[in-house]
Amino acid sequence: MARRGAVRAAMAGWARAVRGLLLDVSGVLYDSGADGGVPIAGSVEAVRRIKASGLKLRFCTNETQATRENFVKKLRGMGFDINVSEVTAPAPAACHILEERGLRPHLLVHDDLVPEFAEMDKTNPNCVVLGDAAENFTYANLNEAFRVLIGMEKPVLISLGRGRYYKETDGLKLDVGAYMKALEYACDVQAEVVGKPSKRFFESALAEMGVPPEQAIMIGDDIVNDVGGAQRCGMRALQVRTGKYRPSDENHPDVKPDAYVNNLAEAVDIILQHL
Amino acid sequence: MARRGAVRAAMAGWARAVRGLLLDVSGVLYDSGADGGVPIAGSVEAVRRIKASGLKLRFCTNETQATRENFVKKLRGMGFDINVSEVTAPAPAACHILEERGLRPHLLVHDDLVPEFAEMDKTNPNCVVLGDAAENFTYANLNEAFRVLIGMEKPVLISLGRGRYYKETDGLKLDVGAYMKALEYACDVQAEVVGKPSKRFFESALAEMGVPPEQAIMIGDDIVNDVGGAQRCGMRALQVRTGKYRPSDENHPDVKPDAYVNNLAEAVDIILQHL
């Protein structure tokens, strides 16, 4: 347990002040797959322990292939104690932006995400909202989104994330970021990215918890979008060695987590010991 | 005719030395459309006059939706005196590069372009060749090209052009450059672009004519890819006010043609007067 002692020591200076945790979901709580996915060992119990401890908790995900309702339903099916009101996700964050700015979206998103935008006025669109549309990324749909954008005096492209690719059981898939780049180039615009690592996205998760950044820890498997993004907001951030973690992350040129932990269960062990 | 006198005067200093012409095709010889397209007024006769003058002539196109054979057949059907051996196009140029470097392509191109790569070994691919694949730009085909690239130790992506979009009778379409950007971002690589405005592409057209750049004129409708590209190779370049020409091109921040002409017929009139 010498290694764990070192992690504990590294966190000794600040872990005592922690009042809230932000958890990434895919790769931290569960591994996705064809059958919907499987929980990562110890994670179900770890979430239960966080809730029992009195720490504030927020699930902070870039998931855009399902509504929060269906996403939460899947996780509850795996045994997680999670509710829709505890989830910060890009689609609702995008809806806030649309409302604030009087934007009417043309959607290029996954069919299962469409209900998140049910309340939005979609007539005569004045922006394009791009998510991980998967099978909806057809030649016709991409041309249509492009035509909506290029027809605007000043094209507004809102992208739910900027991921390059991800792995599914039948192989690697291009993620929303690749299609975002295609439209950015064709229209000579820069997309506004909603979701991690956007500062605004983390800030809204913190506001929902009512915890200032210096009293919050982000726990994620993505060195750039989870760890780097949270640290830029003034939070501490731990990287778990599950999900998309790779050993080469530990030599990342720009981002250094406040500590590495083997998995969520270990992170929670150490954090609760400091309280 | 005061304007034409000014154009003639502008060219007086160098037009006498001209020995060869490079002509862009779409937007200079003809306007494309659902029925295959229509010749631009005076262009059929202008090509005939160039050939009768003794000037060397080369058709320099970024067309990648058809083999040169079919492309030439279409133009001959409109009355143009043009042969396959006179056409410089991206696919054959890409084949030279593949041969030189021992590259075996995975193709993501238009069905009608595939025969240009008939001689290439496509087993166990070690590069991806991307053209304007149009309806072949499916989610499945893009993921497949991505997987081939990301599976290489050092991904090699060869793109037949870098156009953003183009207009067809049923609306605007994303061009190959947009999909190139998507794959570049996903794989963190830079594509090698074959076709205008690549310097190597113009140089091979000049070599095929046997004319040095300072004795050649490029005539095109695209301010960046035709005019700017040719000038960077040491050629003079004229922009025609046909095809994709827009009045705003005359205020382009970086590129200034050696002269503007209303169309190919006028360009040929003035050039032949200087000989």
Side-chain angles (χ1 to χ4, degrees), chain A residues 153-174:
Chain A
E153 197 175 338
K154 199 177 168 318
V156 176
L157 173 60
I158 294 177
S159 187
L160 306 179
R162 56 182 303 128
R164 294 167 187 266
Y165 61 91
Y166 54 86
K167 190 174 182 175
E168 293 208 327
T169 42
D170 59 340
L172 296 174
K173 306 281 174 75
L174 289 168

Side-chain angles (χ1 to χ4, degrees), chain A residues 55-126:
Chain A
L55 285 173
K56 303 268 187 163
L57 174 61
R58 193 90 199 148
F59 301 95
C60 191
T61 177
N62 267 9
E63 168 67 35
T64 64
Q65 282 209 358
T67 58
R68 277 172 304 170
E69 281 72 14
N70 285 329
F71 184 58
V72 162
K73 202 168 156 186
K74 180 172 77 176
L75 289 160
R76 293 182 71 92
M78 293 180 209
F80 287 101
D81 178 2
I82 178 172
N83 299 295
V84 171
S85 61
E86 298 166 326
V87 176
T88 300
C95 287
H96 289 153
I97 292 173
L98 299 175
E99 279 168 0
E100 265 175 26
R101 288 162 51 184
L103 292 172
R104 299 178 304 276
H106 170 90
L107 300 177
L108 179 47
V109 301
H110 197 284
D111 284 345
D112 294 342
L113 194 70
V114 172
E116 292 275 19
F117 296 89
E119 306 293 312
M120 299 292 118
D121 177 8
K122 297 176 207 73
T123 57
N124 188 21
N126 56 4

Side-chain angles (χ1 to χ4, degrees), chain A residues 134-135 137-139 142-143 146-147 150 162-166 170-174 177-179 181-183 185-186 188, chain B residues 134-135 137-139 142-143 146-147 150 162-166 170-174 177-179 181-183 185-186 188:
Chain A
E135 301 292 340
F137 280 133
T138 63
Y139 182 59
L142 283 161
N143 282 332
F146 163 67
R147 281 177 211 138
I150 203 77
R162 56 182 303 128
R164 294 167 187 266
Y165 61 91
Y166 54 86
D170 59 340
L172 296 174
K173 306 281 174 75
L174 289 168
Y179 293 95
K181 287 290 171 184
L183 291 174
Y185 177 72
D188 198 17
Chain B
E135 302 292 340
F137 280 133
T138 63
Y139 182 59
L142 283 161
N143 281 332
F146 163 66
R147 281 177 213 139
I150 204 74
R162 56 180 304 128
R164 294 168 187 266
Y165 62 91
Y166 55 86
D170 59 341
L172 296 175
K173 305 281 175 75
L174 288 168
Y179 293 95
K181 287 289 172 184
L183 291 173
Y185 177 71
D188 198 16

